[in-house]
Amino acid sequence: ETLQRIVSTLVNKNDEIHNFIDMLNHTISNVQVNSSNAISELDEEFDGLYSVLHEMKGSMANTIQQEEARKIQALQDQLSQCSHALESSEELLELAVQSLDIKNPVELLEVENIDWMYVKQVVTVASAFRLSLKPKVSDSMTHMMVDFALEKRMLQAVKFLPVPKAPEIDVAACLVADNCITISWRMPEEDSRIDHFVLEYRKTNFDGLPRLKGEQRWELVDYIKATQYTLSGLKFDTKYMNLRVQACNKAVAGEYSDPVTLETKAFLFSLDSTSSHLNLKVEDTYVEWDPTGGKGQEKIKGKENKNSNTASPKRSTNSPRASARGGRDRFAGESYTVLGDTAVESGQHYWEVRAQKDCKSYSVGVTYRNPGKFDQLGKTNSSWCIHINNWLQTTFSAKHNNKAKTLDIPVPDRIGVYCDFDGGQLSFYNASSKALLHTFRAKFTQPLLPGFMIWCGGLTVSTGLQVPSAVKTLQKSENGLGGSTSSLNNA
């Protein structure tokens, strides 16, 4: 036995090493892919920078050309004015010189009809006197020069973006309750540039590091602003859940935190079709009354039994679960019953049942393994249930050992079943309000199977549920029902 344990431990260790090798190879592949992606992104960023610089260069060069054109136009306009003024002044100057050269009085009399005052005025106000002999614009273009010294220093200081550090998951602050997981984390040091967090999770049946083989893909919750998040509405159909968190700033995401594994084990079972009455149609977690389901088949099977020495076809022994139960017969007669395929052998467990509105009669409870095929829930000393009868008028009662206790309370839409095997307690609740309906107390001596009776209508069973916090609280405070139910607790 010692050697067997050592070999088993070695085999498990080898499996862990193989998984770790696969993880390392996968990580190497990811490093190569992510490096290529980083180079591609770097090229894109620099191409974008080149594009911006090229656009800025073109814009600034266009501004310089516009300034050049403006100055040249202003100087050309001034040059044109000067040329026109010079031409006009030369004509006036010639007339004035000619007048000054006349010294003979006779000649002056000949030109006495000239308005000399007008000539004087024209010469005085000539455009040449009004011209500014200073260029309107400077030939300097220094105001169009740029100094990229600061920008060069900034570019030279460009480094890889500061990647946010990996968050640290606070396992002590994480909570698994009421089919929800609340996960809490913190940053190793304060970082004001963190924009949001990303949470990833996946279900697993392994309690160690995440494994590559046979694992489900990661589910993602993005843009979490706080350092805590609650995953709700989960069905705990696996034993554990891996969780990890990464921090993101506006441009880049950091490394993931070390993944943590939280236990999410809950009581999970399906309905065992091999145990069900022939008038019941069973599909996983749903059972429906079928009034024609077994009549023709029972006659045929009865004839086969008479003409054959083989075992009854009602007994199913092919299923591993059926074999483990000793090849139980189907329920028959008026025991329209089906059992769960997984037994409660220890611990505290919880499941819920919802009946269709047209359901005339149904029972919800537990029973020891291998009940008689004609046994009905609550009518034996090895089964406990609550029974609802909607035929003609509604009755609600708790049953055990063929004794019934009327429950004078409304029948809820959903019934929660809480079984504390070790504590010897079976309680039924209004699944919506968590109000207690009834409690059985007994010392359970054998494993218990969930049991369901249905007549006309159907039942849906919800499994993979954790014991609700409200139920746990009520169980701690509930201590006054033992006497009131003692007549039903003859275990």
Side-chain angles (χ1 to χ4, degrees):
E1 290 179 359
T2 304
L3 181 59
Q4 202 168 26
R5 287 197 300 270
I6 294 173
V7 170
S8 178
T9 303
L10 184 59
V11 169
N12 292 334
K13 192 64 178 178
N14 286 347
D15 288 341
E16 291 179 3
I17 294 174
H18 279 300
N19 280 315
F20 187 62
I21 289 173
D22 290 339
M23 183 181 294
L24 290 177
N25 288 327
H26 186 66
T27 303
I28 290 172
S29 177
N30 283 346
V31 168
Q32 294 171 337
V33 171
N34 292 337
S35 296
S36 298
N37 292 338
I39 291 175
S40 298
E41 291 177 1
L42 185 66
D43 288 339
E44 290 179 5
E45 291 295 331
F46 271 90
D47 288 343
L49 183 60
Y50 298 151
S51 176
V52 169
L53 290 173
H54 184 72
E55 184 178 345
M56 288 180 61
K57 177 183 176 182
S59 176
M60 296 178 79
N62 185 52
T63 301
I64 292 174
Q65 291 171 350
Q66 290 177 353
E67 179 69 2
E68 176 191 12
R70 185 187 71 81
K71 285 193 171 187
I72 289 176
Q73 183 63 46
L75 292 171
Q76 285 180 341
D77 290 344
Q78 194 174 14
L79 181 63
S80 176
Q81 290 174 2
C82 289
S83 298
H84 179 73
L86 184 61
E87 182 179 351
S88 176
S89 65
E90 285 178 349
E91 292 177 357
L92 290 173
L93 184 61
E94 184 179 356
L95 175 62
V97 169
Q98 289 177 356
S99 299
L100 290 174
D101 286 342
I102 299 175
K103 297 180 178 180
N104 188 339
V106 177
E107 292 180 357
L108 282 173
L109 290 175
E110 292 178 354
V111 293
E112 63 183 355
N113 60 335
I114 297 177
D115 190 346
W116 294 104
M117 291 302 295
Y118 172 74
V119 171
K120 178 181 177 183
Q121 184 179 3
V122 169
V123 173
T124 303
V125 299
S127 57
F129 290 110
R130 291 182 288 107
L131 281 177
S132 172
L133 300 182
K134 181 180 179 181
K136 289 184 177 181
V137 295
S138 168
D139 61 354
S140 173
M141 295 293 285
T142 54
H143 63 292
M144 289 294 176
M145 301 302 290
V146 294
D147 180 9
F148 282 133
L150 176 61
E151 287 75 8
K152 285 179 179 177
R153 287 196 297 271
M154 291 176 63
L155 287 173
Q156 289 169 350
V158 169
K159 298 178 180 178
F160 291 108
L161 284 170
V163 179
K165 293 187 176 181
E168 297 173 352
I169 297 178
D170 185 0
V171 179
C174 296
L175 178 65
V176 180
D178 300 321
N179 305 309
C180 300
I181 291 180
T182 299
I183 182 169
S184 181
W185 61 89
R186 57 177 174 264
M187 295 300 295
E189 58 185 47
E190 187 175 352
D191 188 348
S192 60
R193 291 166 294 193
I194 298 298
D195 178 68
H196 65 275
F197 297 92
V198 176
L199 169 65
E200 288 192 348
Y201 65 95
R202 65 181 175 187
K203 297 177 180 179
T204 178
N205 282 317
F206 303 102
D207 61 351
L209 293 172
R211 307 185 180 201
L212 293 178
K213 292 183 177 179
E215 288 288 359
Q216 298 185 28
R217 64 182 181 86
W218 289 100
E219 301 289 340
L220 183 143
V221 182
D222 205 351
Y223 296 104
I224 301 172
K225 293 295 185 178
T227 56
Q228 180 175 294
Y229 189 81
T230 298
L231 292 165
S232 58
L234 299 172
K235 183 174 182 180
F236 290 155
D237 48 3
T238 52
K239 294 181 180 179
Y240 305 95
M241 187 173 289
N242 298 140
L243 303 108
R244 63 184 187 182
V245 183
Q246 69 176 165
C248 306
N249 56 32
K250 290 290 186 180
V252 64
E255 293 291 331
Y256 280 101
S257 65
D258 291 334
V260 299
T261 302
L262 301 180
E263 186 173 3
T264 57
K265 185 179 180 181
F267 186 48
L268 183 71
F269 66 89
S270 299
L271 298 179
D272 180 13
S273 59
T274 66
S275 72
S276 68
H277 193 285
L278 288 173
N279 282 96
L280 299 182
K281 181 181 179 182
V282 176
E283 294 182 4
D284 194 22
T285 56
Y286 178 73
V287 55
E288 183 178 45
W289 165 259
D290 181 6
T292 63
K295 291 181 179 179
Q297 298 177 35
E298 286 178 345
K299 292 180 180 179
I300 295 173
K301 290 179 179 180
K303 292 180 180 178
E304 289 176 351
N305 289 339
K306 291 180 181 179
N307 300 326
S308 173
N309 294 324
T310 59
S312 168
K314 293 182 183 179
R315 186 184 299 273
S316 175
T317 57
N318 294 328
S319 167
R321 285 176 171 171
S323 177
R325 292 189 297 269
R328 181 175 56 235
D329 285 327
R330 284 180 180 271
F331 287 99
E334 294 184 356
S335 182
Y336 304 114
T337 305
V338 62
L339 302 179
D341 62 0
T342 304
V344 174
E345 300 185 30
S346 63
Q348 302 175 34
H349 306 284
Y350 179 85
W351 60 94
E352 294 180 354
V353 182
R354 180 191 292 272
Q356 291 181 345
K357 291 183 178 180
D358 61 348
C359 195
K360 299 299 182 185
S361 178
Y362 62 96
S363 298
V364 177
V366 297
T367 179
Y368 286 157
R369 283 175 170 169
N370 300 319
K373 65 180 183 179
F374 296 104
D375 288 347
Q376 298 182 29
L377 290 177
K379 290 191 175 183
T380 67
N381 65 355
S382 60
S383 62
W384 300 257
C385 74
I386 57 173
H387 177 74
I388 296 91
N389 188 351
N390 291 321
W391 183 253
L392 299 180
Q393 63 180 6
T394 300
T395 61
F396 192 17
S397 59
K399 292 185 176 183
H400 169 63
N401 200 22
N402 207 23
K403 295 179 181 180
K405 176 181 176 61
T406 301
L407 304 178
D408 190 17
I409 49 179
V411 179
D413 293 334
R414 287 185 299 125
I415 296 173
V417 183
Y418 167 77
C419 180
D420 180 0
F421 186 91
D422 302 314
Q425 189 169 330
L426 178 69
S427 297
F428 298 88
Y429 290 86
N430 181 324
S432 300
S433 66
K434 299 301 183 290
L436 181 64
L437 305 175
H438 185 77
T439 294
F440 290 105
R441 299 184 185 278
K443 183 178 180 180
F444 301 123
T445 59
Q446 298 180 38
L448 296 170
L449 286 168
F452 310 90
M453 187 282 291
I454 182 75
W455 179 65
C456 294
L459 291 176
T460 299
V461 183
S462 298
T463 69
L465 305 178
Q466 290 190 319
V467 179
S469 299
V471 171
K472 290 182 178 179
T473 302
L474 283 170
Q475 288 301 317
K476 291 180 181 179
S477 61
E478 190 269 313
N479 55 14
L481 292 179
S484 64
T485 60
S486 60
S487 62
L488 302 179
N489 294 331
N490 301 320

